[in-house]
């Protein structure tokens, strides 16, 4: 009889311990589930916010791009900015803190607008920012360096310009043809006609540069050869 009573007590105690353990582990499981759900929800919200932000940035960029149209301005000419272009500049400036891809494109577009309006100083500053941005695409960084040189080819320090061109010239580099053309222009500016002829002659034989560039180099070379020394 007593043994039966003790067994019942033991059984009751074991059941109580099991119930306590179950409550504890169920509680812990609920906490884990809530935390996991919150984490997934937070990640989904963050991703949604990211998509919303990217969409807003894209809308800002393309709206500015339409307003910034400079196709009516001939290369080398300048024209006062229209109200729409001024608005485009302001919109593009708001993208200066966004991820590097869109930031780079917006800076290049702003530089083009400023250059077309005669603000060379502002354009040069933006091209330098792109060229020095380690997070920017290498191709666009090279383009920014090239534009920085091209817009100073007549009055910039030749040593500084050649130093920048040295990073763009060389076999396999995407802007090497245009960089070599700039070097030939600097040769002519400094009176190194033989060097200019050599560079232009080399350009006419390069099959990996645009046909228009080869044709332009050939025309310049022909003019040089027809000019008395």
């Amino acid at each position: 009889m007593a043994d039966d009573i003790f067994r019942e007590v033991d059984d009751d105690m074991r059941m109580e311990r099991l119930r306590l353990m179950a409550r504890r582990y169920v509680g812990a499981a609920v906490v884990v589930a809530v935390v996991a759900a919150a984490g997934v929800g937070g990640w989904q919200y963050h991703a949604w916010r990211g998509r919303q932000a990217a969409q807003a940035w894209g809308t800002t960029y393309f709206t500015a791009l339409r307003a910034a149209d400079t196709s009516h301005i001939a290369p080398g000419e300048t024209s006062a900015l229209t109200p729409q272009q001024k608005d485009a500049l302001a919109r593009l400036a708001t993208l200066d803190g966004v991820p590097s891809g869109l930031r780079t494109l917006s800076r290049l577009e702003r530089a083009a607008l400023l250059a077309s309006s005669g603000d060379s100083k502002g354009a040069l500053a933006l091209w330098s920012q792109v060229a020095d941005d380690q997070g920017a695409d290498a191709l666009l960084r090279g383009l920014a360096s090239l534009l920085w040189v091209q817009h100073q080819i007549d009055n910039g320090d030749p040593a500084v310009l050649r130093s920048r061109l040295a990073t763009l010239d060389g076999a396999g580099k995407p802007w090497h043809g245009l960089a070599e053309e700039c070097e030939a222009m600097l040769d002519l500016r400094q009176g190194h006609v033989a060097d200019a002829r050599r560079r232009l002659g080399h350009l006419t034989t390069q099959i990996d540069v645009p046909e228009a560039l080869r044709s332009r180099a050939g025309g310049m070379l022909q003019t040089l050869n027809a000019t008395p020394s």
Side-chain angles (χ1 to χ4, degrees):
M1 183 75 173
D3 290 341
D4 292 339
I5 293 173
F6 286 130
R7 275 197 300 273
E8 288 178 7
V9 170
D10 287 342
D11 290 341
D12 288 342
M13 291 178 65
R14 280 196 294 272
M15 290 301 296
E16 184 61 25
R17 282 198 296 271
L18 286 172
R19 282 193 293 271
L20 288 173
M21 290 175 63
R23 281 200 297 270
R24 184 165 66 247
Y25 287 121
V26 166
V30 169
V31 170
V32 170
V34 169
V35 170
V40 170
W43 177 83
Q44 289 177 335
Y45 176 73
H46 180 74
W48 176 79
R49 285 293 299 271
R51 289 194 297 272
Q52 292 292 104
Q55 185 176 16
W57 297 333
T59 299
T60 297
Y61 176 73
F62 286 110
T63 299
L65 209 60
R66 286 191 292 272
D69 180 26
T70 58
S71 59
H72 61 285
I73 303 174
E77 291 185 357
T78 59
S79 174
L81 293 175
T82 65
Q84 292 82 1
Q85 289 172 333
K86 290 178 181 178
D87 178 66
L89 271 178
R91 288 175 183 272
L92 291 167
T94 66
L95 300 175
D96 223 34
V98 305
S100 61
L102 197 56
R103 179 178 70 237
T104 300
L105 293 175
S106 68
R107 284 176 174 173
L108 289 173
E109 189 61 39
R110 284 165 62 198
L113 272 172
L114 292 176
S116 72
S117 69
D119 185 357
S120 295
K121 184 177 180 180
L124 291 171
L126 285 166
W127 285 322
S128 284
Q129 286 179 17
V130 173
D132 296 337
D133 186 354
Q134 297 298 318
D137 181 84
L139 185 67
L140 296 180
R141 291 179 64 197
L143 174 60
S145 281
L146 181 66
L147 291 168
W148 188 88
V149 170
Q150 286 179 335
H151 281 76
Q152 299 181 88
I153 204 74
D154 294 328
N155 50 28
D157 183 341
V160 175
L161 299 182
R162 288 187 189 277
S163 175
R164 185 68 68 98
L165 289 171
T167 66
L168 304 174
D169 201 357
K173 293 188 176 181
W175 304 111
H176 76 92
L178 290 167
E180 189 166 8
E181 181 183 45
C182 286
E183 289 173 335
M185 298 300 292
L186 285 172
D187 288 335
L188 290 174
R189 175 184 158 190
Q190 294 182 286
H192 307 321
V193 179
D195 289 334
R197 282 196 178 101
R198 175 179 56 79
R199 293 185 196 279
L200 293 170
H202 181 254
L203 274 174
T204 62
T205 67
Q206 299 302 296
I207 61 173
D208 61 341
V209 302
E211 183 180 351
L213 177 54
R214 291 199 304 273
S215 177
R216 189 163 63 240
M220 292 173 63
L221 186 59
Q222 189 174 21
T223 301
L224 277 177
N225 289 336
T227 302
S229 300

